[in-house]
């Protein structure tokens, strides 16, 4: 497949995923806001921090390394061996689920049964849900490798199904407590896996599959199988998986570090954990439905266009030019999104929390948490794209060296988290995450600079916004902060509307300046992300 075709399909995959995420997140956003009125902070802390951490730990450790290894390189490979390798995620998931479940049950503090009953059932249900989700891993990797845009709807449908069941049970049977979230979690993973299975059952053997020369002809071929006189798996992929596994173990600590500190060191009670998690989820909405689809989709693009382990001189120069241009524009895109959220998030955090969750969130540390998270989003935005590129290009030896960097960083991050949390409370977690992301960005940008130093391409210039746009951001920050002091948030709805209007005017000025100064980026977004939607409208 030509590099330009890969870019087009990758951009459509990212834009479709982001659009679906936005549409379905709007629904779940409203449902979650409604649910908050019926639940205690302690219950939310146990579900959203303790049990969700169990689930994410099992899933991440069991599959992340396999995803990275099996999506590297061309889609043309021995898919029988790759599928065999991917099915190993299931027994690995069973191992991690049993091991982690015992830790969660017998080594960690158990919540008061009078406040949060049925904790043991919650641990079993969330561990089981992780294993069920891993059953869909071969389907997910095949879909990503072949850029199946439509299958992105599966996760969104699962999330909506989960939210609808949660709201229904919370209203009808509030005394069920953790049982509600156990059933909702099991429904989520079941719908997700069934969507994958149904899609491939309908797709395989169809004229569309024949036209695309899809490498798998029958549903049975998606199950593990032995090939006579051949190894069960591709050992090159298996060794790369092991390298990524060592890295993923450390990456999980860095990604969920604050939850591990909360869970194992008890620096916050379950109620404070609940508030922190709500604010964290609210602040990470953009990261989940915009940055993550971009990162996942363009990882596939860079892995397909450039060959892992080769220097820039040994690559096709046309592909190098395209990859460098795309990387520069992606960096500029996520940087501007991140700056916009940082600037406007500071002045509108308290208002957003008050509307979303009432005084439970807008009083206390909630607004300060969301303000800090607005800054953290900027770090997340840049790190996602830079690590996406480096992960797609690093050879096995470079991945192994990076593992040592991640090991040192993990230890430093946990120490800083513990220190800052004792000093600043839950805000310390976000400050520690900013430090963590800053170090990772520094490593990735150093790799990118070193990779392109023997070429004429300088993609890191995408991290430099135009001076005029930077000035508008600074002025907007000042105006909105002054507006918050005067009009928000205890002076009535008229004052709030004035505050919102001031922000809308500043945002409009920012967007107009962006359109005038970042013409290359605007053309990239229109031609790659919005092209099919614009065509439908004409």
């Amino acid at each position: 497949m030509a590099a330009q075709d890969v870019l087009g399909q990758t951009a459509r995959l990212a834009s479709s995923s982001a659009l679906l995420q936005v549409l379905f997140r709007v629904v779940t956003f409203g449902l979650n806001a409604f649910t908050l009125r019926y639940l205690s902070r302690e219950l939310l802390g146990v579900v959203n921090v303790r049990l969700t951490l169990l689930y994410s730990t099992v899933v991440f450790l069991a599959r992340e390394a396999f995803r990275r290894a099996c999506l590297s390189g061309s889609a043309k490979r021995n898919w029988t061996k790759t599928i065999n390798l991917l099915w190993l995620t299931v027994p690995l998931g069973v191992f991690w689920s049993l091991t982690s479940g015992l830790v969660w049950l017998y080594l960690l503090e158990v919540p008061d049964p009078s406040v949060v009953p049925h904790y043991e059932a919650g641990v079993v249900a969330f561990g089981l849900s992780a294993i069920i989700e891993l059953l869909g891993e071969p389907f997910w990797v095949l879909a990503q490798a072949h850029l199946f845009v439509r299958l992105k709807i599966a996760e969104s449908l699962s999330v909506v199904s989960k939210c609808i069941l949660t709201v229904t049970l919370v209203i009808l049977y509030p005394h069920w407590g953790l049982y509600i979230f156990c059933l909702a979690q099991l429904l989520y993973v079941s719908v997700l896996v069934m969507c994958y299975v149904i899609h491939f059952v309908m797709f395989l053997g169809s004229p569309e599959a024949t036209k695309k020369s899809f490498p798998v002809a029958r549903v049975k071929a998606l199950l593990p199988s032995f090939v006579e006189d051949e190894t069960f798996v591709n050992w090159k992929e298996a060794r790369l998986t092991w390298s990524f596994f060592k890295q993923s173990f450390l990456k999980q600590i860095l990604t969920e570090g604050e939850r591990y500190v909360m869970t194992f060191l008890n620096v916050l009670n379950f109620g404070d954990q609940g508030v922190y998690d709500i604010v964290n989820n609210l602040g990470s909405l953009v990261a989940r439905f915009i940055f993550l689809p971009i990162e996942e989709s363009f990882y596939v693009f860079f892995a397909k266009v450039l060959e892992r382990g080769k220097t820039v001189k040994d690559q096709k120069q046309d592909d190098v030019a395209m990859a460098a241009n795309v990387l520069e524009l992606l960096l500029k895109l996520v940087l501007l999104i991140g700056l916009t959220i940082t600037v406007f998030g500071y002045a509108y955090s308290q208002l957003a929390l008050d509307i979303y969750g009432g005084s439970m969130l807008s009083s206390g540390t909630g607004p300060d948490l969301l303000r800090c998270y607005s800054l953290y989003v900027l770090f997340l935005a840049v790190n996602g794209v830079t690590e996406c590129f480096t992960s797609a290009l690093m050879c096995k030896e470079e991945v192994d060296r990076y593992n040592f960097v991640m090991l040192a960083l993990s230890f430093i991050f946990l120490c800083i988290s513990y220190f800052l949390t004792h000093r600043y409370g839950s805000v310390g977690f976000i400050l520690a995450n900013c430090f963590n992301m800053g170090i990772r960005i520094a490593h990735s940008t150093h790799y990118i600079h070193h990779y392109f130093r023997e070429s004429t391409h300088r993609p890191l210039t995408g991290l430099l916004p135009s001076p005029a746009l930077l000035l508008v951001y600074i002025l907007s920050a000042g105006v909105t902060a002054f507006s918050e002091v005067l009009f928000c948030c205890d002076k009535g709805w008229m004052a709030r509307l004035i505050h919102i209007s001031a922000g809308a005017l500043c945002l409009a000025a920012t967007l107009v300046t962006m359109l005038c100064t970042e013409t290359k980026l605007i053309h990239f977004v229109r031609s790659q992300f919005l092209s099919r939607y614009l065509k439908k409208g004409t």
Side-chain angles (χ1 to χ4, degrees), residues 323-361:
N325 184 56
V326 170
L327 178 59
E328 177 186 345
L329 294 172
L330 281 180
L331 287 173
K332 180 66 66 69
L333 175 63
V334 297
L335 176 73
L336 296 185
I337 295 173
L339 279 173
T340 303
I341 293 168
T342 300
V343 168
F344 291 93
Y346 181 86
Y348 291 89
S349 292
Q350 186 175 359
L351 179 60
L353 290 177
D354 193 61
I355 294 172
Y356 184 64
S359 59
M360 183 182 80
L361 297 182

Side-chain angles (χ1 to χ4, degrees), residues 280-301:
N280 181 67
N281 287 334
L282 187 62
S284 64
L285 280 174
V286 175
R288 289 202 302 268
F289 65 64
I290 294 182
F291 299 148
L292 186 59
I294 289 175
E295 179 183 348
E296 288 180 345
S297 300
F298 280 91
Y299 173 84
V300 177
F301 166 75

